[in-house]
Amino acid sequence: MKAPDPRHAPPIPAYLRETYPWAYLTPRAVRVFERQWLVNLILWGQFARLRDAALDALTPALGGQVLQVACVYGDLTPRLVQRLAPGGHVAVVDVALIQLANLARKLQAVGPVSLHCQDSVALSWPDASQDAVLLFFLLHEQPEDVRRRTLAQAWRVLRPGGRLVVVDYHRPAAWHPARWLMGAVLRWLEPFAWDLWRHPVTHWLPPEAQPSAVEHRTWFGGLYQRVVFTR
């Protein structure tokens, strides 16, 4: 599987270029972080649980069109492709070509999946064209204005009855032993993540979004959350 043509790649957004080159934008970053054990360690051993929680929420849509916004280190996308039902298709969007090239290597064989170099705030899909949209640990990496535009785009392309699945950080319980450590780490390395400790994901949904159902669950003492919006 090949990554998209670099001639059609949009510019890397300033917030990503300035804040996260160490994590996503260099060959060294990919070499360091594309390790299943390291991703699991960063998430306090919860990666598999959160991955499977995301995939379980997507299950009703896995025979249709599924859009994953942003690549993910680890085996989330290969597992997603494996779970597709007959007729299902996964499209993966990322603004960084290096991330799409890395994902192409992980996927190897051609299957019902396509890779697209696009910004999450300017998706090319038509309105109401996707059966599900997945945002897996993306929103905490975006400043508030970008987060709002990303969610607006995700909602726009979601068909009626479709599911928007968000997995990300959440404010842990006051008794959580890692609460103060994680707060310090997020302030240092993830400057936009603090927002998710202060507001629910619904805070950034566009005004026109009126979900027919909202399911919210947390894991690991509240440090991680999954929110499923049904349109």
Side-chain angles (χ1 to χ4, degrees):
M1 178 170 291
K2 296 182 178 179
D5 190 331
R7 293 174 297 179
H8 305 302
I12 300 294
Y15 76 89
L16 184 59
R17 189 176 64 251
E18 295 167 3
T19 309
Y20 289 106
W22 58 272
Y24 300 113
L25 301 182
T26 68
R28 183 177 184 276
V30 173
R31 287 195 302 270
V32 169
F33 288 102
E34 189 52 84
R35 304 167 193 264
Q36 190 82 16
W37 67 266
L38 181 56
V39 176
N40 192 47
L41 180 64
I42 291 170
L43 294 178
W44 294 90
Q46 302 299 304
F47 176 79
R49 176 180 290 183
L50 296 169
R51 175 201 66 204
D52 292 347
L55 298 181
D56 290 345
L58 292 171
T59 296
L62 292 183
Q65 302 297 309
V66 179
L67 177 62
Q68 177 187 320
V69 183
C71 296
V72 175
Y73 289 129
D75 65 356
L76 170 73
T77 310
R79 292 290 187 99
L80 173 54
V81 174
Q82 289 173 5
R83 281 211 196 184
L84 285 175
H89 179 270
V90 175
V92 183
V93 167
D94 202 290
V95 75
L97 279 167
I98 191 171
Q99 288 295 321
L100 291 164
N102 180 54
L103 178 57
R105 288 191 294 270
K106 287 194 291 185
L107 293 172
Q108 297 181 347
V110 175
V113 58
S114 57
L115 308 183
H116 307 266
C117 193
Q118 297 181 20
D119 196 325
S120 64
V121 303
L123 299 177
S124 66
W125 280 267
D127 295 356
S129 59
Q130 303 299 305
D131 295 286
V133 180
L134 173 62
L135 308 178
F136 192 88
F137 282 93
L138 171 64
L139 296 182
H140 78 276
E141 296 173 342
Q142 299 182 323
E144 188 169 12
D145 61 324
V146 178
R147 189 180 302 131
R148 289 185 185 279
R149 293 165 66 193
T150 292
L151 283 167
Q153 284 289 295
W155 191 259
R156 177 186 66 79
V157 303
L158 193 64
R159 68 166 179 80
R163 290 185 164 198
L164 169 58
V165 178
V166 177
V167 176
D168 219 307
Y169 287 110
H170 179 268
R171 185 171 187 159
W175 52 260
H176 199 295
R179 178 186 174 99
W180 301 110
L181 174 61
M182 283 303 300
V185 169
L186 294 181
R187 285 183 182 277
W188 177 37
L189 294 176
E190 309 269 16
F192 312 119
W194 198 249
D195 288 346
L196 292 170
W197 282 32
R198 294 183 295 189
H199 301 290
V201 176
T202 51
H203 178 76
W204 298 287
L205 282 178
E208 66 272 15
Q210 299 294 325
S212 62
V214 180
E215 177 198 339
H216 184 252
R217 284 192 62 187
T218 62
W219 283 267
F220 198 59
L223 183 57
Y224 305 115
Q225 64 179 321
R226 183 192 69 185
V227 190
V228 183
F229 300 100
T230 302
R231 180 159 182 175

